[in-house]
Amino acid sequence: MIRAISGHASAAMLLVAAAALVNLGIAFLPLADLHALHHPGRESAALAITLRAGGWVLLAGCCLGAAAAWAGWLVRARANLVAFGVRSRRVVDSVGRAPEVRRRMTVFTWAFRGTLLAGAATLPVASLAGRETAAEMGGVRAQARAGQPVDDALAAHLFGRELVLYLPAAALFVLAAAFALLLIAHITSAQYGRVARLRARDSAVASEAVDGTIRA
C-alpha cells in the first residue's frame, strides 16, 4: 500500500527551515544586548533577556517538531519503497537509476551531512571560546540593568566577538537545512512521479481489458 507523504514532507521542510532561521536569529542576539547597553535600564535589559529565552524555547520546539516530522516522512517514504518493488531501504533510491539524477542526490546527501557535522563541530568550539569573556559580559549586563554607564568600546568588542563566534555555526546550519529541503523535495517528487506512472500503467491495462485486447 502506497502511503501519502506530502503532508509530512511539507511539515518537515517548514520546521527544518524554521529551526535553521531561529538559530540564525539567536546568533544575532548580541545586537539586542548592545541595544540594551545603549539604553540602560531594567526594561531594555528585560527585553534582551526575554528575546534570548524566547529564542531558545522556540528553537527547541522547532527542532523537536522537525525531528518528529522528518521521522514520520522517512518511515512513510521507506514503506513506499516496498510498494514500488525497490529492494533498497535507502529513500534516495526513490529517484530511480538514471546516473545524472543519482549523482545529484549523492551530492545533496553528502553536502547535507557535511554541513550538518561542520555546524555541530563548530558550535562547541564557539562555546568554549566564549567562556573566556563570559564573566566580563555578565558584569557589563549587570551594569546596564543597574542603569550605570557602560564602556561602549568594551561592550562592542565583547558582544561583537560573541556574534562572530556563533555566526559561522548558524550559517552552516542554514546551509544544511537548505540541502535537507532539496533532499526532501526531490525524494517526495520522485515518489509521486512513480505513483503517477503506476496509475497510468494501471489505467492503460484497464482500458485494454475493456476494449477486449486482453483475453484469458
Side-chain angles (χ1 to χ4, degrees), residues 13-30 50-64 66 123 166-167 169-171 173-174 177:
M13 293 171 71
L14 179 63
L15 289 167
V16 165
L21 293 176
V22 170
N23 187 58
L24 182 62
I26 290 174
F28 282 97
L29 283 178
T50 301
L51 287 174
R52 189 172 295 276
W56 284 110
V57 170
L58 185 58
L59 178 60
C62 288
C63 287
L64 290 174
L123 191 58
Y166 286 97
L167 190 57
F173 284 132
V174 170

Side-chain angles (χ1 to χ4, degrees), residues 122-142:
T122 304
L123 191 58
V125 173
S127 180
L128 288 173
R131 290 183 180 181
E132 297 178 4
T133 56
E136 198 170 5
M137 289 170 63
V140 171
R141 289 192 181 102

Side-chain angles (χ1 to χ4, degrees), residues 75-144:
V75 168
R76 288 170 175 258
R78 282 177 174 166
N80 286 344
L81 291 177
V82 178
F84 296 144
V86 179
R87 294 182 179 180
S88 172
R89 298 280 74 81
R90 297 171 66 248
V91 292
V92 292
D93 290 333
S94 301
V95 299
R97 297 182 178 181
E100 181 180 350
V101 177
R102 291 181 71 86
R103 281 196 298 269
R104 186 184 306 128
M105 294 303 296
T106 299
V107 170
F108 289 158
T109 300
W110 285 106
F112 164 65
R113 292 173 179 173
T115 50
L116 185 63
L117 289 174
T122 304
L123 191 58
V125 173
S127 180
L128 288 173
R131 290 183 180 181
E132 297 178 4
T133 56
E136 198 170 5
M137 289 170 63
V140 171
R141 289 192 181 102
Q143 288 179 330

Side-chain angles (χ1 to χ4, degrees), residues 188-212:
T188 302
S189 178
Q191 290 209 352
Y192 275 96
R194 283 177 176 267
V195 171
R197 289 192 293 273
L198 288 173
R199 287 177 177 173
R201 185 192 65 184
D202 292 344
S203 296
V205 171
S207 178
E208 290 177 356
V210 170
D211 292 341

Side-chain angles (χ1 to χ4, degrees), residues 33 36-37 39-49 137-150:
D33 288 313
L37 296 177
H39 300 80
R42 293 186 178 276
E43 292 184 1
S44 296
L47 176 61
I49 293 172
M137 289 170 63
V140 171
R141 289 192 181 102
Q143 288 179 330
R145 284 195 299 269
Q148 300 175 1
V150 176

Side-chain angles (χ1 to χ4, degrees), residues 145-163:
R145 284 195 299 269
Q148 300 175 1
V150 176
D151 186 336
D152 290 340
L154 176 62
H157 167 71
L158 292 174
F159 292 104
R161 181 176 182 272
E162 184 181 24
L163 174 61

